[in-house]
Amino acid sequence: MKIVMLGAPGAGKGTQAARIAEKYGIPHISTGDIFRYNLKNGTELGKKAKEYMDKGELVPDELTCEIVADRIFMDDCAKGYILDGFPRNIPQGRYLTDVLTKADQKIDFAIDVEVPDENIVKRMSGRRACPNCGATYHIVNIPPKKEGICDTCGTELIQRADDKAETVKKRLDVYHDATQPLIDYYKELGVLKTVDGTQPMNDVFEDICKILED
Ligand code: ADP
Ligand code: ADP
Ligand code: ZN
């Protein structure tokens, strides 16, 4: 079960990917989380990626593609995985198809979580993230049990620097220009599935499970 999550920033990809990963026992691979982990640990990759992330731009493919290619062939990926935030443009999509083809593999599902731009800004301003375990909350829609504290690990939640309104606008532009064309790309590969991401979290999850179990 090899899955790609598509959708605008804030559509709920990460939220759904975490639940799918838990339910089906496959790894959740988020390039955003990998970059943030490197940033926190002050690695060379983290320093380079920060420059782009702060501006809401895509980190160059040279820094991104190889990381994913290494990750998806690790032992824990044998049963499948869920890619969240990769691919982000057509060259990354082609790169992924190529490395998989060479290994006689393919993506089984590309799930597009559809949410209109109007809803995105509200979602992003209320998003809170755990800097320790990566869990994501929303102050109104999906609040933690104790305000400001991660349910899973008890760490104090933060607002991501790139979730401020100007950066979100830029990220939405980047999404429409660079990422949205992947919807047609995966449609042509015959693996595109679409879910209505404006529904409550549990309903979106049910729709995705139906698709995966069909
Ligand atoms: P969101 O979940 O809100 O869409 P992510 O955590 O996926 O945000 O990504 C945060 C930032 O990390 C992006 O704005 C971009 O700078 C960088 N990034 C993440 N994944 C990729 C990728 N596949 N290619 C290039 N840059 C990426
Ligand atoms: P992405 O990974 O696509 O950037 P997230 O999963 O981080 O998106 O979700 C963005 C924000 O919206 C978070 O604050 C999250 O808690 C909230 N959220 C996720 N799914 C839903 C939903 N179905 N309804 C309302 N809010 C949601
Ligand atoms: Zn946590």
Side-chain angles (χ1 to χ4, degrees):
M1 200 189 267
K2 301 186 185 66
I3 307 166
V4 160
M5 297 298 286
L6 297 173
K13 301 180 298 296
T15 301
Q16 297 299 333
R19 298 190 60 182
I20 297 164
E22 194 188 7
K23 175 164 179 183
Y24 296 98
I26 54 178
H28 170 196
I29 304 172
S30 156
T31 41
D33 284 349
I34 294 173
F35 289 138
R36 280 184 290 276
Y37 177 84
N38 276 275
L39 221 145
K40 199 171 95 180
N41 289 288
T43 69
E44 242 0 86
L45 172 68
K47 282 177 205 153
K48 285 186 198 152
K50 180 178 165 36
E51 226 182 282
Y52 300 91
M53 294 171 82
D54 283 349
K55 287 189 273 185
E57 289 169 6
L58 293 184
V59 177
D61 296 347
E62 308 86 82
L63 297 177
T64 309
C65 287
E66 246 176 77
I67 297 172
V68 176
D70 288 343
R71 183 67 189 87
I72 59 176
F73 294 113
M74 287 184 184
D75 289 346
D76 64 334
C77 290
K79 273 181 22 186
Y81 45 80
I82 173 151
L83 280 173
D84 162 21
F86 186 97
R88 249 329 202 276
N89 57 25
I90 294 283
Q92 290 183 6
R94 292 208 181 107
Y95 176 89
L96 178 63
T97 304
D98 286 350
V99 292
L100 288 174
T101 306
K102 277 182 196 138
D104 213 10
Q105 297 180 5
K106 66 174 192 63
I107 292 297
D108 302 300
F109 301 96
I111 299 173
D112 179 28
V113 184
E114 280 189 325
V115 175
D117 287 8
E118 306 87 85
N119 304 25
I120 294 292
V121 180
K122 255 189 225 144
R123 281 208 186 172
M124 300 298 248
S125 59
R127 169 154 71 181
R128 296 293 181 273
C130 175
N132 179 46
C133 75
T136 301
Y137 303 87
H138 188 284
I139 49 174
V140 180
N141 304 343
I142 305 170
K145 291 194 186 81
K146 186 163 180 261
E147 195 184 317
I149 302 293
C150 179
D151 290 349
T152 316
C153 73
T155 305
E156 201 170 322
L157 301 176
I158 56 155
Q159 181 162 27
R160 271 169 51 178
D162 59 345
D163 276 354
K164 46 180 196 296
E166 317 91 78
T167 322
V168 169
K169 224 194 134 282
K170 170 70 186 167
R171 287 161 65 201
L172 271 175
D173 289 343
V174 170
Y175 169 74
H176 290 298
D177 289 347
T179 312
Q180 214 168 16
L182 285 167
I183 294 176
D184 279 337
Y185 178 78
Y186 281 108
K187 195 187 280 173
E188 277 160 29
L189 289 179
V191 295
L192 181 74
K193 304 284 174 188
T194 303
V195 295
D196 174 2
T198 64
Q199 307 173 89
M201 173 174 73
N202 288 332
D203 295 359
V204 180
F205 185 57
E206 267 181 37
D207 284 358
I208 295 176
C209 292
K210 269 187 221 143
I211 289 168
L212 299 178
E213 284 161 22
D214 230 11

